[in-house]
Amino acid sequence: MAALKELLPPVKSTTTTYYDHSNDPWFKQRFSSSEAEQSASAAIKHNPVPPYLQRKGFVPRKVEDFGDGGAFPEIHVAQYPLDMGRSKSAKPGSKILALTVDAHGNVAYDAIVKQNENAKKIVYSQHKDLIPKLLKSEEEGDEDEDEGEGEELQKEIEETTLETKAALEKIVNVRLSAAQPKNVPKQSSDSKYIKYKPSQQSAAFNSGAKERIIRMVEMPVDPLEPPKFKHKRVPKASGSPPVPVMHSPPRPVTVKDQQDWKIPPCISNWKNPKGYTIPLDKRLAADGRGLQDVQINDNFAKLSEALYVAEQKAREAVAMRSKVQKEMMMKEKERKEQELRALAQKARSERTGAAPPPSAPVPLERGAMDDVDMRGNMNT
């Protein structure tokens, strides 16, 4: 082995395959060669760490409690070995806020709710935040506050109004200009002429020309072309919380309140996608028949009265007609009996040879006259 090392040429460069911790700033305290740093690192005395399975009640808080090692996974508390991950801005372990006052010298107790993510938000935590602005202004007028504060408030209101008006006008103008066809973007008519020499310099290419000139024009943009890129809307950041609404304490719901708040189900006379069996009373109540006021027209009464009068007249006419018909039948019967009686008297007289008695005139004409009178009465 020694002969082989003597035969090989000397090594030009030496590189280590291990990580050089001395150049790492994290290990600077442990692998530094400076005496000051060595003395500072030696000043840290590590506290004794209980052995495994005997660490009940042991809570590592300081750097010395970790014993030149990492965190203990079996201890479920926030651990910062070598102060890694510990916030340097606040004092470690202090959760006490400094006492602050407002503009009037009163203690600001709401400072505790304006920490962390609420530091840049408006948090309504006082009773005066629930009072409407109109009532608040009246109270301020009654208290006769300084006029300077009122002027500043009015100035701030006017500035906010102008800014809001300008922003709204800008949005409206953009929408209007986009909707008007006269505001179509103008196409640039500038063109460039480029002179170049083709790579193939022979009579078979480029019509035998040694140089060519081309004209470069911007491609026209179609104003009605849909957008080529899809813009994704970024979710809006959470703003200040709204003003809390104070509610009265909950009260037990009575049976009457439950009945008043009971909303009947929607029943349709045309659609029943679920195929439910709906009772007839619910089906009839669905079209709102019970909500309509029934009104009877006066013409129904007039019609019924006219029908009653017409029926009475028809009954009277039928009775008169039957009476006239009976009288005519009786007269016809009497006439036939009179004729038969006259024929029998004549035959008896001829059989005895005696002169026939004067026969009574046959009331033909009289019966005809009666018929005419009766018909005249019926027509009248």
Side-chain angles (χ1 to χ4, degrees):
M1 191 69 182
L4 181 61
K5 288 184 178 181
E6 293 176 357
L7 294 174
L8 292 176
V11 180
K12 294 183 179 179
S13 62
T14 58
T15 58
T16 176
T17 57
Y18 300 100
Y19 180 70
D20 190 3
H21 298 85
S22 59
N23 296 328
D24 196 328
W26 191 77
F27 293 97
K28 191 173 183 180
Q29 291 181 353
R30 307 181 183 277
F31 296 95
S32 177
S33 58
S34 61
E35 296 180 357
E37 291 179 352
Q38 286 181 359
S39 61
S41 61
I44 299 176
K45 296 181 180 179
H46 301 292
N47 296 332
V49 180
Y52 190 62
L53 298 178
Q54 297 180 7
R55 295 171 183 170
K56 186 177 181 179
F58 174 70
V59 181
R61 296 293 185 187
K62 302 178 181 179
V63 180
E64 296 83 2
D65 296 338
F66 293 96
D68 198 14
F72 302 95
E74 67 274 11
I75 301 175
H76 299 164
V77 294
Q79 305 178 37
Y80 304 97
L82 300 178
D83 286 338
M84 291 187 300
R86 192 189 298 274
S87 178
K88 300 296 190 298
S89 58
K91 185 178 179 182
S94 65
K95 296 182 180 180
I96 302 175
L97 296 177
L99 185 64
T100 56
V101 296
D102 56 4
H104 300 283
N106 301 323
V107 179
Y109 293 103
D110 57 348
I112 191 172
V113 296
K114 295 182 179 180
Q115 303 294 323
N116 301 331
E117 66 271 5
N118 293 336
K120 297 182 179 179
K121 297 180 181 179
I122 302 174
V123 181
Y124 301 97
S125 59
Q126 299 181 5
H127 176 68
K128 65 180 182 180
D129 298 331
L130 304 176
I131 303 175
K133 193 172 183 179
L134 297 176
L135 300 178
K136 195 182 298 183
S137 61
E138 291 179 2
E139 292 179 0
E140 291 177 356
D142 296 339
E143 293 176 359
D144 295 330
E145 291 187 353
D146 297 336
E147 297 180 357
E149 295 182 0
E151 292 178 357
E152 292 180 358
L153 180 61
Q154 187 66 23
K155 187 177 180 181
E156 184 179 357
I157 293 173
E158 291 178 356
E159 291 178 355
T160 308
T161 305
L162 293 177
E163 292 178 359
T164 308
K165 184 178 179 181
L168 292 176
E169 287 181 352
K170 183 178 180 181
I171 295 173
V172 171
N173 292 334
V174 170
R175 298 289 177 87
L176 292 177
S177 61
Q180 293 176 356
K182 64 180 182 180
N183 291 330
V184 177
K186 297 181 180 179
Q187 307 294 342
S188 61
S189 59
D190 298 339
S191 59
K192 293 182 179 180
Y193 293 92
I194 301 174
K195 183 178 180 182
Y196 73 99
K197 293 181 179 181
S199 59
Q200 288 108 357
Q201 295 289 340
S202 64
F205 298 96
N206 303 318
S207 301
K210 296 182 178 180
E211 296 180 353
R212 295 183 68 88
I213 299 175
I214 60 174
R215 179 170 171 245
M216 296 288 291
V217 183
E218 289 188 5
M219 185 177 179
V221 180
D222 187 4
L224 300 179
E225 184 181 4
K228 297 181 180 179
F229 304 98
K230 185 177 181 180
H231 300 280
K232 293 184 179 180
R233 290 187 176 182
V234 180
K236 185 179 179 182
S238 60
S240 301
V243 180
V245 180
M246 306 298 292
H247 298 278
S248 60
R251 302 179 181 87
V253 182
T254 60
V255 179
K256 185 176 182 303
D257 294 340
Q258 292 180 357
Q259 294 177 354
D260 293 342
W261 281 99
K262 184 178 180 181
I263 301 174
C266 179
I267 300 175
S268 175
N269 287 330
W270 292 273
K271 295 180 181 180
N272 189 10
K274 300 291 184 180
Y276 294 142
T277 302
I278 302 174
L280 289 178
D281 55 346
K282 304 292 189 300
R283 179 76 73 181
L284 294 176
D287 56 0
R289 297 183 186 181
L291 303 177
Q292 298 176 357
D293 296 334
V294 180
Q295 296 181 356
I296 302 175
N297 198 347
D298 296 338
N299 293 331
F300 286 103
K302 295 179 182 178
L303 176 61
S304 61
E305 186 177 358
L307 291 175
Y308 179 73
V309 173
E311 183 183 2
Q312 293 295 329
K313 288 184 178 181
R315 290 179 181 277
E316 291 177 1
V318 170
M320 184 67 69
R321 192 179 296 111
S322 62
K323 183 179 180 181
V324 170
Q325 191 173 4
K326 287 181 181 179
E327 290 179 357
M328 290 178 64
M329 291 175 64
M330 291 295 292
K331 289 178 181 180
E332 185 69 22
K333 187 176 181 180
E334 288 177 1
R335 188 179 61 80
K336 287 184 180 181
E337 289 179 355
Q338 190 71 21
E339 289 180 355
L340 292 174
R341 195 179 293 113
L343 290 174
Q345 187 70 23
K346 185 178 179 180
R348 192 181 300 115
S349 62
E350 289 178 353
R351 190 180 304 131
T352 57
S359 60
V362 180
L364 292 172
E365 296 179 358
R366 181 182 175 186
M369 291 178 64
D370 293 341
D371 293 343
V372 173
D373 295 339
M374 292 300 295
R375 289 172 182 172
N377 291 332
M378 290 178 64
N379 293 332
T380 57

